[in-house]
Amino acid sequence: MPVPTALRRALRRSLTVTATAAVLTGIALPAAHATDPPSRSVTYRGHQFTVPAGWDTVDLDRDPRACVRFDRHTLYYGTPSTDQDCPSHLVGRTEALLVQPAGSRGAGQARTDRTAHQLAAGDAQVRLTGTYDTDPGLVEGIATDAGLTLKSASSPEPTPSTLAAASVSSASTHYTGKGFDACAAPSASAMSAWNSSSPYGAVGIYIGGAYRACSQPNLTSSWVSQQASAGWHFIPIYVGVQAAGITSPTAQGTSAADDAITQAASLGFPAGSVLYYDMEAYSSSDSSDVLSFLSAWTKELHTRGYDSGVYSSSSSGISDLADHYGSGYQMPDVIYDALWNGSADTGDPAVPSTLWANHQRIHQYSGGHTETYGGVSINIDSDYLDVAPTASAVPHGTVWDRTRGSSGTWAGSSTEIDDNDAITAVASASLPDGTLHTFTVVPGSGVWERVRSASGTWAANAVKMDDNDNVVAVSAAALKDGTLHVDVVVKNSGVWDRTRKTDGTWTAATKIDDNPSVTRVAAAGLTDGSLHLETLVPGSGIWERVRSASGTWQTSATQIDTNGNIAALATVALPDGTQHIEAVVPNSGIWDRVRTAAGDWQASTQIDTNGDISAVSAAALPDGSMTVDAVVPGSGVWDRARSASGAWQGSATKVDANGGVFAVQSAGLPDGTVHLQTIV
C-alpha cells in the first residue's frame, strides 16, 4: 500500500531528527524508504482515513456517548450523541479528527478557523473537522489522502456586520446563585431535566478558542436562545493561548478578545455581556506576560462594548490580578476564581474583600464530579456566582486630555494621559505656577495624581496620594496661596479633605462632612482665599460647606438648592469674586446658579435644555470668561462659553465626538488655555 502523504510528511520529520542524532553519534541509518511509517486505517462512508499508529479510533455509531475531545490524537467517526460523557474541565488541542455524515447534527458547523486551530473538509458523504496544535499539515494530509476537499482558510468567516442578531440580553450573563460548567454544552433535554430539579441556575459554556478541547454539537444560537427563555443564565468562556504560548501579549490579547466577540455574537450574546478568558494555572515566571495579555483582552472588550471576565486558579491568575490591582494593568470586571474548597460563596483569602466587591465574582468551588438530576448525569465543575448588572454598570475607562488654546480654538484630537482602564472619576486643578494636577479614582486602589508641568510635559507615571480604596467621587480646587485641596466622597462615610502644601507634600485626610448619603462633590477656591465645597445629596439637593481663608471649616453645611432631582454638578470661581454652580437635572438640562462677590446666591437660570446630559464641568479663565462642558451619552462632549460680560454663547459646540465618554473635567490655566479631560 502506498504511504499516505500525511504519514510521508511525518516520516520525513522523524528521519530528519533521527539523522541529526546519527551524525552526532556515528550510527548508520537505513534508507528512508526501507520501512513505511506505522499507521492504521479506518474506512467510513466510502473514504479511507489513515492515521498514525499511535492514534486511537472511536466508532461513535457504536459508542455515541463517547466524548469527542480534541486534546488527544484520536479519529472519531460517526454521529456523536447530544449527551456526550465528557470530563468537566478539559483544556488544549492537538491533532485529532471528527468525521460525521454530511448533514448530520453539528456537521454544518464544521469550518476552517486558523485562530481556533481548526480545519474543515468534506464532500456529499461526510464532513470532517480537524484540530491541531503544531502540525496542521498532518491533518490536512489525512483529509486530502481520504479524497476530501479542504475548505480554504480564507473562507468567509463571521464578521461584526454579518453576525447573528442578539438572541439574548446581556443580563443573561448576570446571576447570583449556583451554576455549573461542563466541557460540552448539554443537550436541550438534559438542560430541561436539570432546570426542573437541580440547584443550578447558570451554565458555563465554552464559546471558542484554540484550546477548547470538546466538540460542541449542541452549542448554537438557537440553543442559547432556548435556554435563556427557560430561565438559564450563562458564563461564556473563551479558551485561547495559555501562558507558555504568549509571545506578543498585547497583540495576542487583543486578537483573542476580537475572536471571542465574534464567537459570542454569533451565539446571540450582545454588547454588555461578560465574556471570560480561561487562563489555566501557570508558573510565576509567566506572570508579567499573562498580566499584559489579560490587560489587552480587557481593554479590547471594553473598546467594543463587552465586559471582561477572567477565569484562573486562585494561586496564579487570580492572585496575580489582585496583587497588581491599580498598578497600570487593565483589570477585568469580573473574576472567576478556581479555588476548590467546597464553599459555595465568593470569598478567597488571596483577594481582598474590597476588590471586585460590587457583585463581580464567580467562585468555582468544586472540580470535576458527576451529579444526576431528572435521571440525567453530567460531569461538572460547581460554581457560585455573584454577578449583577451593577458590576458592569459602574463606568470605568482611561483618561484623555484635549486642549483649548488661549485664542479659543480646540485641538483636533485628544491625547490619552492615563491608560489605567479601571478609572471611574477624574478631577483637575491648576496652580498659580502653571502646573495642572489631575486626580483619578481607581476603585479598590485609591486616588492617584498625575502632574503636567508649566512647560506642558506630563509626568510619566501617576503617584498614589490616597490609599482609601472606597473612594467613589473626587474634586480638586486650588487656592491663591498655592495650596491645593482634594475632596473625596468615601462610600458610606462622607467627605474627606486633603491639602497639598506649597512644598508639594500632602496633609493627612480630615473628615469635613459625615453625611453618608453624599454622592457627588465639587469645590472652588475664591479670590478671597476661601474654599467652597458643594455636595450632592440625592432627593435633597445641593449643600455647601465653606472653609475660610484662615483654614477653618464651617461647622455645618447649608442647603443652597432644594431640587432633589439634580444628578450632577460642577462649580467654578471667577476672578471677580463670583462663583457659579452648574447643576444637571435629567430631562431638563443644565441650570446655572451664581453667588455674588457679596455672598448672595441668585435664582437658577437654565442655560442648556438638552435633557440627555449626564455629566458637567466648568472652567474659569483669567480674563473673566468661563466654559461649561457637558456629556451627552452616545454623542460626545458639548461646550458652551460665557463671556466676561456675562453673555452665554447662543448654542453649544461639540468639542469631542466620542460617544463613549461618561465623565468630564475641565480646568483653566493661567496662560488662558483650557484642559478638558474625559474618561472613555
Side-chain angles (χ1 to χ4, degrees):
M1 183 181 71
V3 181
T5 302
L7 296 186
R8 286 199 302 270
R9 291 171 179 163
L11 177 62
R12 283 198 297 269
R13 285 192 296 272
S14 174
L15 287 175
T16 298
V17 174
T18 307
T20 301
V23 170
L24 295 175
T25 61
I27 298 173
L29 286 174
H33 56 74
T35 303
D36 287 346
S39 63
R40 60 193 307 182
S41 295
V42 170
T43 299
Y44 180 70
R45 294 179 72 86
H47 296 274
Q48 181 172 284
F49 298 92
T50 303
V51 299
W55 282 39
D56 290 329
T57 59
V58 176
D59 184 344
L60 295 173
D61 292 330
R62 290 186 178 181
D63 186 9
R65 290 207 66 203
C67 179
V68 178
R69 47 188 297 184
F70 296 132
D71 62 335
R72 293 179 173 177
H73 292 307
T74 305
L75 167 63
Y76 302 93
Y77 56 99
T79 303
S81 169
T82 57
D83 292 306
Q84 299 178 38
D85 186 13
C86 291
S88 63
H89 199 84
L90 299 176
V91 173
R93 284 201 167 181
T94 190
E95 291 71 42
L97 292 170
L98 167 63
V99 183
Q100 305 174 78
S104 65
R105 180 184 55 257
Q109 301 176 41
R111 62 189 180 90
T112 294
D113 183 347
R114 296 292 184 181
T115 301
H117 288 198
Q118 178 173 299
L119 302 172
D123 62 9
Q125 294 298 313
V126 298
R127 287 291 180 269
L128 175 147
T129 299
T131 63
Y132 59 89
D133 180 16
T134 60
D135 195 358
L138 175 61
V139 177
E140 291 174 352
I142 295 171
T144 301
D145 290 340
L148 298 180
T149 302
L150 287 167
K151 290 187 177 181
S152 170
S154 59
S155 297
E157 300 291 350
T159 65
S161 61
T162 61
L163 293 173
S167 60
V168 297
S169 165
S170 62
S172 68
T173 61
H174 303 138
Y175 184 69
T176 298
K178 288 185 176 183
F180 74 94
D181 55 280
C183 190
S187 66
S189 60
M191 293 296 291
S192 178
W194 277 45
N195 196 21
S196 300
S197 54
S198 82
Y200 302 113
V203 58
I205 51 175
Y206 291 88
I207 63 173
Y211 283 77
R212 180 174 69 171
C214 289
S215 70
Q216 303 289 339
N218 301 320
L219 190 55
T220 65
S221 58
S222 297
W223 183 92
V224 170
S225 178
Q226 180 183 5
Q227 304 319 313
S229 296
W232 285 100
H233 294 74
F234 305 97
I235 312 170
I237 306 166
Y238 184 87
V239 197
V241 64
Q242 295 299 294
I246 297 175
T247 55
S248 301
T250 299
Q252 288 173 293
T254 301
S255 176
D258 287 335
D259 188 53
I261 290 170
T262 297
Q263 306 310 325
S266 69
L267 292 172
F269 291 102
S273 302
V274 189
L275 307 183
Y276 296 83
Y277 196 93
D278 182 337
M279 180 63 68
E280 296 294 312
Y282 53 86
S283 166
S284 59
S285 62
D286 293 320
S287 290
S288 179
D289 283 344
V290 170
L291 287 167
S292 296
F293 176 95
L294 294 176
S295 181
W297 157 269
T298 295
K299 190 168 186 176
E300 181 67 5
L301 286 181
H302 286 171
T303 297
R304 297 187 58 187
Y306 283 78
D307 285 343
S308 165
V310 169
Y311 168 92
S312 193
S313 66
S314 170
S315 60
S316 58
I318 299 303
S319 59
D320 267 352
L321 289 169
D323 290 345
H324 291 83
Y325 200 105
S327 63
Y329 294 109
Q330 317 305 309
M331 289 291 121
D333 302 286
V334 184
I335 55 172
Y336 188 176
D337 185 0
L339 177 63
W340 296 349
N341 60 6
S343 298
D345 56 30
T346 57
D348 184 345
V351 184
S353 61
T354 54
L355 302 184
W356 295 284
N358 191 20
H359 308 290
Q360 296 170 275
R361 298 190 186 194
I362 301 178
H363 177 197
Q364 187 181 80
Y365 62 87
S366 181
H369 62 284
T370 298
E371 295 188 17
T372 303
Y373 299 99
V376 176
S377 298
I378 307 175
N379 191 269
I380 65 169
D381 299 323
S382 296
D383 309 306
Y384 186 82
L385 297 82
D386 184 15
V387 183
T390 52
S392 57
V394 178
H396 48 81
T398 62
V399 178
W400 296 73
D401 176 81
R402 188 182 296 253
T403 306
R404 176 185 180 269
S406 55
S407 64
T409 302
W410 287 94
S413 61
S414 298
T415 301
E416 189 174 39
I417 61 169
D418 197 318
D419 64 358
N420 187 328
D421 193 38
I423 294 168
T424 58
V426 61
S428 291
S430 173
L431 291 176
D433 64 3
T435 59
L436 178 64
H437 296 248
T438 296
F439 303 91
T440 55
V441 174
V442 180
S445 176
V447 181
W448 295 70
E449 177 189 34
R450 191 178 295 255
V451 181
R452 179 185 183 273
S453 69
S455 64
T457 302
W458 285 98
N461 299 298
V463 176
K464 183 183 287 191
M465 53 80 58
D466 194 312
D467 61 3
N468 190 320
D469 53 16
N470 286 311
V471 171
V472 295
V474 63
S475 68
L479 297 179
K480 65 178 184 179
D481 63 1
T483 61
L484 186 153
H485 284 254
V486 170
D487 298 284
V488 299
V489 178
V490 178
K491 185 178 180 180
N492 299 322
S493 175
V495 181
W496 295 71
D497 173 82
R498 187 178 292 246
T499 305
R500 181 185 185 276
K501 296 185 289 187
T502 54
D503 64 3
T505 60
W506 289 93
T507 65
T510 303
K511 182 183 280 194
I512 57 173
D513 194 315
D514 61 2
N515 188 334
S517 298
V518 171
T519 59
R520 303 287 183 92
V521 63
L526 275 60
T527 54
D528 63 3
S530 62
L531 178 70
H532 290 242
L533 183 72
E534 320 301 338
T535 58
L536 180 62
V537 180
S540 176
I542 300 174
W543 294 73
E544 180 184 57
R545 192 178 296 256
V546 179
R547 179 186 182 271
S548 69
S550 65
T552 303
W553 283 97
Q554 181 182 335
T555 304
S556 59
T558 302
Q559 189 175 25
I560 60 172
D561 196 311
T562 60
N563 189 330
N565 293 320
I566 294 172
L569 79 163
T571 187
V572 68
L574 296 181
D576 62 3
T578 61
Q579 178 188 356
H580 287 250
I581 290 179
E582 313 306 325
V584 175
V585 179
N587 302 316
S588 177
I590 300 176
W591 293 74
D592 173 77
R593 186 181 292 256
V594 181
R595 180 185 182 274
T596 67
D600 300 317
W601 285 101
Q602 307 298 302
S604 296
T605 303
Q606 189 175 26
I607 62 168
D608 196 310
T609 59
N610 189 326
D612 294 327
I613 291 171
S614 61
V616 66
S617 65
L621 295 170
D623 64 1
S625 63
M626 63 178 283
T627 65
V628 173
D629 298 285
V631 174
V632 180
S635 174
V637 181
W638 294 74
D639 173 83
R640 189 181 296 259
R642 180 184 183 273
S643 69
S645 66
W648 286 96
Q649 179 182 340
S651 59
T653 302
K654 184 184 287 193
V655 296
D656 193 315
N658 191 326
V661 171
F662 67 85
V664 64
Q665 170 66 50
S666 50
L669 274 62
D671 62 3
T673 61
V674 173
H675 280 256
L676 179 73
Q677 292 168 349
T678 57
I679 306 179
V680 182

